[in-house]
Amino acid sequence: MEYPHIPFSPLHFTEAETLDRSKAFHDYMERRRSLRFFSDKPIPKEVIENIVMTASTAPSGAHKQPWTFCIVGDPAVKSKIKDAAEEEERESYGGRMSEEWLQDLAPIGTDWQKPFLEIAPWLIIVFKKAYEIEGGERRKCYYVNESVGIACGFLLAAIHQAGLVSLTHTPSPMNFLQRILDRPENERPFLLIPVGYPAEGATVPDLRRKTLDQVSVWW
Ligand code: IYR
């Protein structure tokens, strides 16, 4: 694959506009929350297509875009995923997770039950490609976790931008997703993200985010 260099088309904003835009975006992103209570209100497929294409604009090692977004709207497949996820989570909460881990999760109020996996209109299951297969040949991918992690960040921001809510869900272990969704050997499940509208009366834990001082060091 050849990528000849072409002129870049920059955006032009004044310093005041840059300041306004950075502030407005931060204010908007501060309103994003991970939700565990979803409405079953449908969302048009085209909205999810746009969100996925936004995620796929993420930078990636050697521009390999080493991701596959599996989009599940079929209730039967959602039920299979819910049953398998709950089976794993029952084991995790029932002894696989350490005492410290369970204590850290207690304030958030999670447990092994995952009803949202059937209720949310769409599940996006992100797979990372450990390597690519091109014409039967194995081709390397680079910085796969970094690349797919950034794509997931873009995905969550795009979901929020559309006024929808999501949960970054990590049933553990996640191999059942590879089996249920019949993914090839080079793809590994990375995150399971239900997408929808919040249920009426949905609640979120009253958590605080770290301050600028707590998250940054400047020179
Ligand atoms: N995968 C489990 C446990 C869990 C782990 C972390 I770290 C969280 O921030 C939340 C949950 C579950 O989804 O319940």
Side-chain angles (χ1 to χ4, degrees):
M1 192 80 98
E2 294 253 344
Y3 303 121
H5 275 230
I6 54 170
F8 171 62
S9 305
L11 294 163
H12 293 287
F13 297 119
T14 65
E15 194 172 293
E17 285 167 337
T18 301
L19 187 57
D20 282 351
R21 292 173 65 91
S22 63
K23 173 85 173 70
F25 191 58
H26 171 226
D27 289 346
Y28 193 72
M29 290 303 283
E30 280 288 358
R31 296 194 59 181
R32 188 203 58 79
R33 296 299 311 262
S34 293
L35 256 283
R36 289 182 172 77
F37 306 102
F38 286 80
S39 151
D40 62 0
K41 183 177 168 186
I43 293 168
K45 185 169 173 240
E46 195 180 347
V47 173
I48 304 299
E49 289 172 356
N50 292 334
I51 286 167
V52 167
M53 286 311 288
T54 299
S56 204
T57 67
S60 60
H63 190 53
K64 294 279 181 164
Q65 299 182 269
W67 44 68
T68 301
F69 299 92
C70 291
I71 316 297
V72 177
D74 180 337
V77 182
K78 286 198 281 182
S79 293
K80 267 194 203 169
I81 290 174
K82 175 191 178 263
D83 291 347
E86 286 188 336
E87 204 172 303
E88 292 294 357
E89 295 290 21
R90 208 195 297 253
E91 295 259 335
S92 295
Y93 281 88
R96 258 196 319 223
M97 283 148 81
S98 67
E99 209 37 56
E100 182 182 357
W101 194 348
L102 291 171
Q103 270 175 24
D104 278 340
L105 288 181
I108 300 173
T110 58
D111 63 25
W112 63 269
Q113 294 181 83
K114 306 296 170 193
F116 52 79
L117 293 176
E118 275 178 335
I119 299 169
W122 298 101
L123 304 180
I124 303 181
I125 301 95
V126 185
F127 283 80
K128 66 177 182 184
K129 290 188 180 177
Y131 55 92
E132 272 188 319
I133 306 166
E134 250 183 39
E137 292 251 328
R138 222 174 135 128
R139 306 283 304 170
K140 273 197 188 335
C141 291
Y142 309 92
Y143 299 101
V144 171
N145 287 322
E146 291 83 347
S147 304
V148 181
I150 296 166
C152 287
F154 281 27
L155 184 76
L156 299 183
I159 291 166
H160 180 54
Q161 169 65 19
L164 304 172
V165 295
S166 66
L167 176 68
T168 21
H169 181 40
T170 50
S172 172
M174 288 203 275
N175 337 9
F176 68 87
L177 291 166
Q178 196 158 8
R179 181 173 39 80
I180 293 174
L181 299 171
D182 197 23
R183 300 313 303 158
E185 204 289 314
N186 63 321
E187 293 189 12
R188 315 282 152 76
F190 190 78
L191 277 181
L192 167 46
I193 303 173
V195 183
Y197 288 99
E200 208 159 310
T203 58
V204 291
D206 185 17
L207 50 80
R208 298 295 131 86
R209 292 186 169 120
K210 289 181 178 172
T211 63
L212 181 63
D213 282 348
Q214 289 172 307
V215 301
S216 62
V217 186
W218 299 65
W219 282 266

